[in-house]
Amino acid sequence: MNPKDRQLISALQGGLPRVPQPYAALAASLGMSEAEVLERLRAMQADGRLRRMTAIVNQRQVGLHGNIMAVWDVAAERVEEAGDFLASRSEITHVYERPRHPGWPYNLYTM
């Protein structure tokens, strides 16, 4: 990995700025253009150096002061259908599938 890619990854570990154009702000802080940042991220994703980027939402900062998780044991062939249905509900903010584990048969999670 070249020094600019390392610098970009290091900056991303601190999170994206909470501004309307986060990649532009990140790029400016690194002395790069937004196009260069996006190009580097795409290249790292394409060759496997970057597997994923995720968001962590601070529920209190977005006005949610309570939360509940429900876990579901859904037949593998119906997970997508069930997930789509649950995601369509306005009271559900997250729907995601996880692998089952011994002693834990649940594979669909909702918040």
Side-chain angles (χ1 to χ4, degrees):
M1 206 178 299
N2 70 47
K4 279 191 168 186
D5 290 345
R6 286 182 193 276
Q7 183 183 26
L8 176 56
I9 293 296
S10 179
L12 282 171
Q13 289 175 342
L16 285 169
R18 287 179 283 169
V19 298
Q21 295 179 297
Y23 292 102
L26 176 66
S29 75
L30 296 172
M32 297 181 204
S33 70
E34 181 180 23
E36 181 181 6
V37 163
L38 293 173
E39 181 181 318
R40 287 179 178 280
L41 290 172
R42 284 185 194 109
M44 285 188 273
Q45 185 177 25
D47 68 18
R49 291 179 289 159
L50 177 66
R51 291 183 304 184
R52 64 185 172 132
M53 289 180 59
T54 61
I56 300 172
V57 177
N58 182 321
Q59 65 188 30
R60 295 192 188 280
Q61 286 184 349
V62 297
L64 298 173
H65 299 287
N67 209 355
I68 191 166
M69 176 185 281
V71 296
W72 310 84
D73 178 8
V74 179
E77 64 274 5
R78 301 210 52 206
V79 166
E80 191 168 335
E81 174 189 354
D84 287 345
F85 171 77
L86 292 165
S88 74
R89 306 293 307 190
S90 63
E91 60 272 9
I92 295 178
T93 60
H94 301 63
V95 178
Y96 50 98
E97 182 181 7
R98 292 282 188 243
R100 300 172 195 271
H101 295 284
W104 188 256
Y106 309 104
N107 59 337
L108 194 64
Y109 293 64
T110 56
M111 300 287 285

